[in-house]
Amino acid sequence: MKKMKQLSAALLALAMALGLAACNPSGSTPSGAPENSGTPEQSAPPAVQSADLEELGSGDVKWKEEETADGWVKITNEGGATLGYSKESGVQLLQSGGFAFKDLNRNGALDPYEDWRLDDETRARDLASQMSGEQIAPYLTHGGWGTFTTDKNVFTSADNAGYAYITGGGRGGVTRNLGSSTEDNVNHAIWINLIQELCESLDFGIPAVVSIDPNGQSGIVQQNTLAAIMDPDVALEVGKEYSKQYRAAGVHMLLGPQIDLMTSPVMDRGTSTYGEDPALDRDITEAFVSGMQSTWDGSTDLGWGADSVVAVMKHYAGAGASEGGRDDHSPMGKYAVFPNNNYEAHLIAFHDGAFNLSHSSTKAAAGIMTNYSVSYSPDKSLGEYVGGGFSQFKFDTLFGSGWEGFIVSDWGIFPDGGRGGWGMEDYTVPERLANSISLGLTQAGGYNNLDDLAEAWEIIKSDLGEADALKMFQDRAYENILMTMRLGLFENPYNSTAHVRETNCTDETRAYGVETQMDSIVMVKNSNGTIKESEGSDKQTVYIPYVYTYPSVSGWRRTPTASSWAPSVDLEVAAQYYNVVTDTLKDPSGPADEEGKATYTENDIVRASAADIAACDLILVGMKAPKLASYSETDEASGETTWYPANIQYNEYTATTAKETSVAGDQITETFNDGYTQQTKVTTENRSYKGNTAGRPGTYGHLEALQYAKNAAAGKPVVVLMTMANTTCMVFSEVEPLADAILVGYADVKDEAYLRTVTGEHEPNGLLVAQMPASMEAVEAQADDLPRDMECYVDADGNVYDFAYGLNWSGKIDDQRVKTYSAEPLTECQNLDFKYANQ
């Protein structure tokens, strides 16, 4: 790109030409961003020069060395830090005051950043001050690690993208390779050790920080499922357990939890939230993050330490009010809407929960992830129409609260044609990066094109001058380094496979996982005490039908799902608790798929006979809740776009009562000649789906299985196990009349937990984290940005399927949890003086 264009674009970007407020007068930090991240301007302590260092092993030696079974060397300092390094990395040891230190930059001196006796802030500032803009630029990425391998030769091969990324200066990235067995975790730990050895061999020896999306280790609950327990004490313990297992496997950062307030019952990512109540969202967030970020000795909080995991709150902020519930990963879901001016409620979990940790001395969640969506307001009181990673209003709100920390963008907001770059389409990729970094971003999520970061550095340098640009980049580097310091990775970034085997996916942790699942199960119906405490009787006989999944297309990616048949409950697991009667699956009779294999049709089943079913003691039907996401289709010939509603019932749904006009839409500019002059007309796109029909979800076959079972039940009780895997809410009117008892389990609940609850081994304890609508019309009538404002379903026993509703063996639960969280929903932050952009 030519220099003049680069400079011009930079001036536009950094002055926020899209209507964003200008940077502060110094130009070195974004408006509202904390200068030097809260640390005072100060000279770092001088390095301990070689003349002042002691010969290794001389004098009063306070350290000892041992080579571990995993190949790295462990240094134990008496009353000091434990170090880990690889002899193959080229790092040497230094001795001062009898203690051992790592000479990470190989200069023969003990730099302040290498001196573990100093505080983290001083050390981080020292290292940041030593780095040039060119060295920092690749460090402002959160890319990836290339080939997953335990073979060092494969890892260091020229065609491994991860090797190139690290040697180019990248130090952050997400893993998708952490499996669910102990050996999976062991192999993961070995792979991360290879990454850390390479990082240690390069300039400054800066360790890698490895992140992960929420990953259900040992079956321990998270998100909707954790929220359904509605107990912050449990959330604290769950956070502790996750952090121990993540760190053992070499994971240092959780890209989560997702704390978007789910005010739309059809929110496409609602299952990944803590539900629809601001107070519940706040409390579970605060407790879980406290458990995860501190290192614990039993109930004693040790602060940042060897078991700590950085929690990155996502998504800042407002994605839970996406119009139509659409996923903001795609242009279809780019707008979050707040027609009732309830945006502040969507900040409560961040500012009153995550940023004010009462259970942890780490004090605040160390990171946030920006959101994709545009927070839409006709008067632009929520800022300009740009995605969250480019919104000065959102950055100013964040920094204005006094919070300081690590900020990573959500994935894919910078590339051309990517997602989340809404409103920035006319900018080049380096200009978008420069824009976001100038606002306060510390790493570009999912991005490993280091050349673009180098060009972003040149843009900022050209606009601000080298001195101010370098100060800005060193401030960004400081936040990344400080986070890494707090995790102890500069001392020891290596993993012990023996520790993994003791910690991860053990019999004990799996048993704990099942316990948490059982505690989360919500019993919404239990007519005539169908489910009750076990009396220790002999095995009953149950009928478990197969369920058919119809071929379907769903989600923001419009992903196709093939047809299939499967038992509605795992038959091997069920056989541990019951004598099982089931159906017989025939060979597939449908057309061949792309691999030439025949596909299943709805006719490829022989149902158990009515006589066999009537002889059973119980009918047990496992079901997946219905969900089709709202989407759009554009006719290629006419260019006209048709929008379709979401559907959370099993039968098709026609949106006869939907809004005539959507709240938000793209601005459409039309040019025409009125017979005299050329005229321009700007209109707002109408994304209404009123009158359009959403078809039957692919899980419609689950309803058919229930209908068959009920008809053949001959008066025997029918129990439904309803898994809310893809939706947090559903319309129960098609299911409830056919069932004597219904257990609701959110995404993490597995069949063992259901069955131990049905047999009466464990009393149901969970509560609904969101209202269940009376109908799809009730869904349309509720407000996009308000929680708990919907007409709820009422069952045959008169129970209302409202937020915080659930049954136990005695009846409706009415404990302190219900009293606490059934209060009127909060609307204001207690720890933020919130102001709209136009105030």
Side-chain angles (χ1 to χ4, degrees):
M1 185 168 57
K2 292 181 179 179
K3 184 75 172 178
M4 183 57 68
K5 180 182 177 185
Q6 206 176 59
L7 177 59
S8 175
L11 289 169
L12 286 172
L14 299 178
M16 304 312 294
L18 293 174
L20 304 178
C23 292
N24 72 0
S26 74
S28 58
T29 38
S31 175
E35 205 101 21
N36 287 338
S37 304
T39 61
E41 286 286 357
Q42 58 183 356
S43 298
V48 178
Q49 301 300 319
S50 57
D52 300 318
L53 293 170
E54 302 156 357
E55 183 180 349
L56 280 178
S58 66
D60 183 15
V61 177
K62 300 176 182 178
W63 59 277
K64 60 182 180 180
E65 176 179 278
E66 63 175 307
E67 186 162 343
T68 69
D70 297 308
W72 52 275
V73 179
K74 181 179 179 180
I75 306 294
T76 305
N77 284 292
E78 295 176 15
T82 298
L83 313 181
Y85 77 103
S86 168
K87 290 186 175 179
E88 295 186 27
S89 72
V91 163
Q92 301 294 318
L93 295 180
L94 303 171
Q95 183 174 308
S96 174
F99 295 111
F101 303 84
K102 295 194 293 183
D103 186 10
L104 290 169
N105 62 3
R106 301 163 188 78
N107 67 353
L110 180 58
D111 291 82
Y113 88 89
E114 298 165 335
D115 191 341
W116 46 259
R117 295 170 297 189
L118 301 176
D119 63 84
D120 293 333
E121 291 78 8
T122 297
R123 297 175 65 194
R125 182 59 66 189
D126 171 64
L127 177 51
S129 71
Q130 295 188 39
M131 299 177 74
S132 68
E134 288 79 6
Q135 290 170 319
I136 293 171
Y139 191 38
L140 305 187
T141 61
H142 201 85
W145 306 114
T147 305
F148 175 63
T149 180
T150 58
D151 186 328
K152 186 173 181 178
N153 291 327
V154 174
F155 177 73
T156 57
S157 64
D159 59 353
N160 181 5
Y163 182 82
Y165 174 66
I166 294 167
T167 55
R171 291 295 183 275
V174 66
T175 176
R176 314 286 188 192
N177 299 304
L178 188 59
S180 58
S181 72
T182 301
E183 287 308 305
D184 288 338
N185 280 247
V186 165
N187 289 332
H188 192 276
I190 295 171
W191 175 55
I192 301 304
N193 282 350
L194 293 176
I195 290 172
Q196 298 292 16
E197 181 180 275
L198 176 60
C199 292
E200 191 175 74
S201 73
L202 301 170
D203 291 346
F204 302 114
I206 299 173
V209 173
V210 180
S211 66
I212 195 168
D213 280 320
N215 179 289
Q217 287 292 290
S218 298
I220 301 170
V221 296
Q222 49 193 346
Q223 302 305 139
N224 273 187
T225 327
L226 176 58
I229 301 173
M230 287 197 191
D231 188 337
D233 290 339
V234 173
L236 180 72
E237 295 305 315
V238 166
K240 292 179 185 180
E241 188 57 46
Y242 266 111
S243 67
K244 286 189 289 188
Q245 295 196 43
Y246 283 151
R247 278 303 295 267
V251 173
H252 317 112
M253 174 187 290
L254 175 67
L255 299 175
Q258 181 182 335
I259 61 174
D260 301 321
L261 182 64
M262 192 203 80
T263 50
S264 168
V266 293
M267 181 187 174
D268 211 28
R269 301 183 71 185
T271 55
S272 299
T273 71
Y274 290 140
E276 70 167 323
D277 182 72
L280 178 65
D281 196 5
R282 175 200 63 196
D283 292 351
I284 301 301
T285 295
E286 188 279 324
F288 178 82
V289 173
S290 293
M292 175 160 284
Q293 285 197 166
S294 280
T295 292
W296 298 85
D297 181 6
S299 60
T300 302
D301 175 10
L302 304 178
W304 290 105
D307 287 338
S308 296
V309 170
V310 167
V312 178
M313 306 297 95
K314 61 185 187 185
H315 307 85
Y316 196 87
S322 174
E323 188 164 19
R326 305 177 194 107
D327 193 332
D328 58 4
H329 281 73
S330 77
M332 292 183 292
K334 69 191 288 185
Y335 294 108
V337 295
F338 303 89
N340 295 278
N341 298 315
N342 200 41
Y343 179 79
E344 187 175 351
H346 292 252
L347 300 176
I348 290 172
F350 291 93
H351 292 276
D352 294 345
F355 301 161
N356 283 274
L357 302 182
S358 61
H359 290 85
S360 169
S361 58
T362 66
K363 297 182 181 179
I368 66 106
M369 179 185 288
T370 62
N371 69 322
Y372 287 124
S373 60
V374 175
S375 293
Y376 182 89
S377 55
D379 59 356
K380 297 190 178 177
S381 60
L382 298 175
E384 292 296 317
Y385 297 156
V386 292
F390 304 99
S391 170
Q392 178 127 23
F393 168 70
K394 291 180 181 177
F395 277 90
D396 282 353
T397 301
L398 180 64
F399 291 135
S401 72
W403 178 85
E404 302 166 3
F406 168 83
I407 305 174
V408 62
S409 72
D410 210 335
W411 268 224
I413 74 170
F414 298 107
D416 291 330
R419 54 183 181 262
W422 323 131
M424 302 296 293
E425 292 85 355
D426 292 339
Y427 288 77
T428 68
V429 172
E431 288 165 2
R432 292 177 201 137
L433 287 160
N435 178 292
S436 199
I437 291 168
S438 298
L439 287 172
L441 190 78
T442 44
Q443 284 191 346
Y447 207 73
N448 59 6
N449 187 324
L450 304 184
D451 290 340
D452 286 341
L453 268 296
E455 191 167 347
W457 158 247
E458 294 297 329
I459 290 172
I460 294 174
K461 183 170 65 171
S462 176
D463 181 54
L464 299 181
E466 185 163 6
D468 283 345
L470 179 59
K471 183 178 184 302
M472 176 188 288
F473 266 51
Q474 288 178 343
D475 284 346
R476 303 298 177 269
Y478 168 81
E479 293 295 353
N480 294 334
I481 295 165
L482 178 61
M483 173 186 63
T484 311
M485 288 284 181
R486 286 171 168 169
L487 292 167
L489 297 179
F490 279 89
E491 278 59 72
N492 182 19
Y494 294 99
N495 308 303
S496 163
T497 55
H499 180 56
V500 178
R501 290 189 172 94
E502 294 169 353
T503 306
N504 292 36
C505 306
T506 64
D507 290 344
E508 183 180 1
T509 61
R510 290 184 185 280
Y512 177 63
V514 175
E515 288 291 330
T516 63
Q517 292 175 42
M518 290 190 295
D519 278 341
S520 76
I521 290 173
V522 186
M523 184 159 67
V524 295
K525 186 176 183 180
N526 192 32
S527 296
N528 302 314
T530 298
I531 296 175
K532 55 184 180 294
E533 186 174 8
S534 172
E535 298 174 351
S537 57
D538 294 336
K539 277 187 177 181
Q540 291 184 312
T541 299
V542 301
Y543 168 57
I544 297 175
Y546 273 63
V547 292
Y548 182 63
T549 297
Y550 284 87
S552 62
V553 178
S554 62
W556 66 272
R557 287 191 175 97
R558 307 301 296 145
T559 304
T561 300
S563 59
S564 63
W565 277 101
S568 65
V569 179
D570 186 302
L571 299 179
E572 289 187 11
V573 175
Q576 299 174 34
Y577 302 91
Y578 295 104
N579 300 311
V580 178
V581 173
T582 190
D583 305 322
T584 302
L585 183 62
K586 299 190 291 186
D587 292 332
S589 62
D593 60 16
E594 293 179 354
E595 298 178 355
K597 298 179 181 178
T599 57
Y600 281 106
T601 74
E602 61 268 40
N603 300 315
D604 297 333
I605 196 76
V606 177
R607 293 290 189 190
S609 69
D612 287 340
I613 296 171
C616 294
D617 301 297
L618 186 69
I619 316 300
L620 205 57
V621 185
M623 303 178 71
K624 295 291 190 298
K627 175 67 182 289
L628 284 177
S630 176
Y631 70 101
S632 65
E633 288 182 339
T634 301
D635 182 83
E636 292 185 9
S638 67
E640 292 185 2
T641 299
T642 303
W643 294 83
Y644 295 91
N647 187 8
I648 51 174
Q649 64 183 26
Y650 286 104
N651 281 287
E652 69 177 24
Y653 161 63
T654 299
T656 56
T657 63
K659 295 189 290 281
E660 290 278 0
T661 305
S662 62
V663 175
D666 289 346
Q667 300 296 298
I668 302 170
T669 301
E670 300 176 75
T671 302
F672 62 95
N673 194 303
D674 64 359
Y676 298 96
T677 60
Q678 199 81 353
Q679 299 288 332
T680 299
K681 178 182 179 183
V682 179
T683 58
T684 300
E685 170 194 30
N686 185 7
R687 296 183 164 206
S688 172
Y689 46 72
K690 182 170 184 176
N692 295 335
T693 299
R696 300 187 311 198
T699 53
Y700 179 77
H702 297 215
L703 177 62
E704 292 180 313
L706 174 63
Q707 291 168 336
Y708 176 80
K710 178 64 174 178
N711 288 335
K716 299 299 174 62
V718 176
V719 175
V720 167
L721 314 178
M722 181 62 72
T723 299
M724 312 287 270
N726 297 311
T727 180
T728 309
C729 306
M730 65 170 284
V731 177
F732 267 94
S733 57
E734 301 157 310
V735 172
E736 181 270 324
L738 305 179
D740 297 282
I742 302 172
L743 298 180
V744 170
Y746 295 102
D748 299 316
V749 176
K750 303 298 186 290
D751 286 345
E752 180 184 355
Y754 278 127
L755 292 168
R756 288 172 64 178
T757 303
V758 176
T759 57
E761 178 183 331
H762 189 278
E763 185 170 19
N765 177 67
L767 302 167
L768 292 178
V769 303
Q771 296 175 318
M772 298 297 162
S775 63
M776 285 303 301
E777 288 71 27
V779 171
E780 298 295 354
Q782 62 86 44
D784 299 281
D785 57 336
L786 297 179
R788 297 167 48 194
D789 65 332
M790 190 163 53
E791 180 190 358
C792 297
Y793 182 76
V794 182
D795 71 11
D797 296 330
N799 289 312
V800 181
Y801 292 8
D802 204 346
F803 169 80
Y805 162 73
L807 303 171
N808 57 24
W809 292 329
S810 302
K812 184 177 177 181
I813 298 172
D814 189 25
D815 57 16
Q816 188 58 49
R817 299 174 302 160
V818 177
K819 293 179 174 65
T820 297
Y821 295 115
S822 292
E824 282 296 309
L826 302 174
T827 59
E828 297 179 351
C829 292
Q830 298 301 304
N831 294 289
L832 172 69
D833 182 15
F834 175 73
K835 290 181 173 59
Y836 286 99
N838 54 3
Q839 285 183 310

